[in-house]
Amino acid sequence: MAGLEIPTWDPETALLIGTILLEAIVLYVGYGGLERLFGPYLMKFLVGGEANAR
């Protein structure tokens, strides 16, 4: 039956997918941390405070 075959997994492909997923998680957490650290300071510098940005 067409379309019902289960593909075989290549270990290198699984490792590549896992590496990309891990990198995405690290970047997501890292950028979130940077936003928490520097976000309020940048808002004050660029627009004069968070209240004025809304």
Side-chain angles (χ1 to χ4, degrees), residues 6-54:
I6 298 174
T8 59
W9 279 92
D10 181 28
E12 290 181 19
T13 304
L15 182 62
L16 179 63
I17 292 172
T19 302
I20 291 171
L21 181 61
L22 180 64
E23 181 181 3
I25 292 169
V26 168
L27 288 173
Y28 180 79
V29 170
Y31 283 131
L34 288 175
E35 183 181 357
R36 282 187 179 222
L37 285 175
F38 296 111
Y41 301 114
L42 284 175
M43 292 305 292
K44 287 179 185 175
F45 177 73
L46 294 174
V47 294
E50 292 182 12
N52 294 336
R54 296 181 185 161

